[in-house]
Amino acid sequence: MTEALWTGYQHREVDSDGWTTFWRLDPRGHDFHLTDWTGYPDREGHRLWDRAATPAGVRAAWSTTASSVRLEIRAALGIYAKLAPVDVLVDGELHRRCEVREGEQILTADLPGRPAEVEIWLPQAGMIGFRGLAFDGDAEPVAPGGPRWITYGSSITQCSGAYGPSETWPALVARRHGWDLVALGFAGECHLDPIAARTIRDTPARLISMCLGVNIYGGGTFSGRTLPGQVESFVSTVRAGHPTTPIIVITPLLAPNLEGKPNAVGLTLDDIRDCVELGARVDPAVRLIDGRDILTTTEALALYADDLHPGPDGYHLIADRLAPLLPLP
């Protein structure tokens, strides 16, 4: 079997023991301490980079007649509360969900033993290393297909609480449309970082979407004076590498128990939405989606796992609502 054609990452790093980290932001030459400040001394540093080292959306596909596949995974919780599973898809449908525990482990999944396309999605939560994969029969890697879609956002884009990595809302939308997904969801760390803007700028894509504002609300990252300009700068950086690519900006989804409550710098979620819209509209080609239109208050109250994060069924409904709103030209 030739080398797997993994996709959805920016840099592949292999350590001296053969463990691979699939980085969703390229760490080479960057000072991790630039993003360490949180205002809470008890919180660990390097949080953006820990999120970037989690392989959310990273996957590979093979054409095979094998009857089983075996892969070696190393997992640690790190800053995560849970570990996500590995998903094995056969001909586009979920075939096996392999639970992941802490430490080094071998995961195996039975396959149909007939000609099929097998796709493996790595976990979207946890500190994950990958060291080997083998089929018990012939398997030929399949190159990523379809137009590339980049989506940037917070935990609601990373979707740690989804059923599995193939059932995050970006994965569901990409699978429905046949797109090559680059998922830049960083839980708690969507703060318009220049490294994220440059990564999107420099990555070829046919469609770009950004869910902006909810981490800025929670972190009190910018004020009403500074947030519109920061959004304008981020979008302008992205546009510099994508002069004709459609860019869609999504404002924060409804959070019924947080609406109307000022954050540490005095902004409500509606204020954040207004500031994001003001900054994004400087680029007249940007299309805006009001996050309040994606889920109703009743749906949010029923489907959220807490005051902010959808549960697994909530991510499915978000995908259903956003899929028709994210068309390619």
Side-chain angles (χ1 to χ4, degrees):
M1 182 182 68
T2 56
E3 180 70 12
L5 300 175
W6 294 97
T7 189
Y9 68 96
Q10 297 294 321
H11 174 61
R12 181 174 182 166
E13 181 180 37
V14 184
D15 69 16
S16 58
D17 294 321
W19 290 103
T20 291
T21 297
F22 289 107
W23 290 91
R24 292 180 294 134
L25 298 174
D26 190 339
R28 293 174 293 181
H30 289 283
D31 182 352
F32 286 11
H33 295 288
L34 285 174
T35 56
D36 273 357
W37 174 255
T38 64
Y40 301 96
D42 59 332
R43 296 181 72 179
E44 301 175 59
H46 304 340
R47 295 176 63 88
L48 171 63
W49 291 99
D50 283 0
R51 300 300 189 198
T54 297
V58 177
R59 65 215 180 273
W62 296 261
S63 177
T64 182
T65 57
S67 58
S68 69
V69 63
R70 172 183 180 275
L71 64 156
E72 190 174 6
I73 291 285
R74 181 179 65 188
L77 285 171
I79 61 174
Y80 288 91
K82 61 175 287 186
L83 297 172
V86 170
D87 280 356
V88 180
L89 279 61
V90 172
D91 294 332
E93 299 295 331
L94 181 64
H95 175 75
R96 172 77 186 279
R97 178 157 285 150
C98 302
E99 296 302 317
V100 172
R101 55 177 172 75
E102 291 187 85
E104 298 179 12
Q105 57 218 274
I106 302 292
L107 303 179
T108 59
D110 294 334
L111 300 175
R114 55 167 174 79
E117 182 168 304
V118 172
E119 196 170 7
I120 293 178
W121 289 67
L122 296 180
Q124 84 277 15
M127 309 304 296
I128 305 297
F130 166 82
R131 191 160 65 178
L133 181 146
F135 292 89
D136 70 348
D138 292 336
E140 185 67 27
V142 175
R148 181 175 291 144
W149 166 43
I150 302 172
T151 188
Y152 169 64
S154 66
S155 55
I156 300 172
T157 299
Q158 185 173 340
C159 309
S160 296
Y163 286 119
S166 67
E167 292 187 77
T168 66
W169 77 257
L172 290 166
V173 171
R175 290 170 53 205
R176 184 175 304 183
H177 288 316
W179 292 347
D180 179 14
L181 171 66
V182 176
L184 299 180
F186 305 112
E189 299 296 333
C190 181
H191 296 282
L192 305 175
D193 289 288
I195 177 60
R198 293 193 298 269
T199 296
I200 301 170
R201 178 195 67 191
D202 297 339
T203 303
R206 290 274 305 281
L207 178 67
I208 296 165
S209 62
M210 312 172 189
C211 299
L212 305 181
V214 72
N215 287 160
I216 292 165
Y217 170 79
T221 316
F222 302 110
S223 68
R225 160 66 180 81
T226 58
L227 178 54
Q230 291 296 321
V231 173
E232 177 195 3
S233 177
F234 193 95
V235 171
S236 295
T237 298
V238 171
R239 178 62 79 197
H242 299 276
T244 61
T245 302
I247 296 175
I248 298 172
V249 171
I250 306 167
T251 63
L253 276 64
L254 278 174
N257 293 328
L258 299 177
E259 299 293 337
K261 296 181 179 180
N263 68 359
V265 295
L267 299 182
T268 65
L269 276 169
D270 273 350
D271 293 331
I272 295 285
R273 294 180 184 109
D274 289 343
C275 288
V276 168
E277 180 174 350
L278 185 62
R281 284 201 184 279
V282 173
D283 182 337
V286 165
R287 186 160 69 86
L288 279 144
I289 294 176
D290 189 330
R292 293 169 294 192
D293 295 336
I294 296 171
L295 299 178
T296 68
T297 297
T298 300
E299 289 167 341
L301 288 170
L303 295 171
Y304 280 18
D306 53 28
D307 287 342
L308 184 64
H309 298 93
D313 293 331
Y315 288 122
H316 270 263
L317 185 54
I318 291 170
D320 290 341
R321 297 282 167 75
L322 282 177
L325 300 178
L326 298 172
L328 285 169

